Amino acid sequence: DALVRGDSGKLGELLDPTAKTVLSALTSSGEWEESTAKIEAVRVIRVSESGSGGEIAIAVQEPGAAYLLKWRASKAESGMVFAGVNAPANTFPRASDWDNANLNAPSAAPRPSTPSPDASEDESGPAPKEEAPKDEAPAQEDGDGGRVKRTPAGPVKIPGGGG
């Protein structure tokens, strides 16, 4: 909770020397306090173990945007020590949007929930979809008693009410 609470002292105890230097610079410049004051939520996106450590990816939600932080954990005498790892530079509107993103791509794109038969994707995942205009049309009838709502992620069928 050191990140969420903006507790640089507590976080510093968990960091490797390089990450401590970065934290110290952020604290000295005032950027640490300014950035952590905006945090609305932190969401654990992925935890993986390997040998004597592992990796963790967390999405940090601020007003209007969520970005990803990745850390490599290693065992040390005092417990676990964390080092920053390169993470995709893009943002999503909500922290939960990172749940299906390709975390290894320089610019993470959401992964489809079911692969399309004609999709030829590379390791970076699918191409980002175009966003629908903010003043999009309301849901429309689909002819089967349901409605279709256009969303930035594509059309979504809303089942009929059943009377």
Side-chain angles (χ1 to χ4, degrees), residues 29-141:
S29 70
E31 290 177 80
W32 171 258
E33 188 174 299
E34 182 182 323
S35 293
T36 57
K38 296 178 195 174
I39 296 175
E40 297 175 333
V42 172
R43 184 176 181 97
V44 176
I45 302 299
R46 183 174 301 148
V47 176
S48 61
E49 283 188 64
S50 63
S52 63
E55 192 169 285
I56 183 168
I58 59 174
V60 179
Q61 175 72 46
E62 292 184 354
Y67 56 90
L68 193 73
L69 295 177
K70 289 174 70 175
W71 300 90
R72 181 176 28 262
S74 304
K75 284 189 180 176
E77 289 179 22
S78 60
M80 298 300 281
V81 175
F82 294 85
V85 178
N86 286 336
N90 58 317
T91 63
F92 286 114
R94 305 286 310 156
S96 59
D97 295 336
W98 282 99
D99 289 353
N100 295 317
N102 181 346
L103 305 185
N104 296 320
S107 177
R111 291 182 179 164
S113 54
T114 55
S116 63
D118 59 295
S120 57
E121 298 175 9
D122 61 12
E123 281 294 309
S124 65
K129 294 181 180 173
E130 288 188 32
E131 296 233 0
K134 298 279 186 219
D135 56 338
E136 62 188 75
Q140 299 172 342
E141 295 292 325

Side-chain angles (χ1 to χ4, degrees), residues 138-142 144-151 155-161:
Q140 299 172 342
E141 295 292 325
D142 72 353
D144 293 329
R147 297 179 300 154
V148 175
K149 174 74 174 166
R150 306 278 175 217
T151 70
V156 175
K157 184 174 180 177
I158 304 167

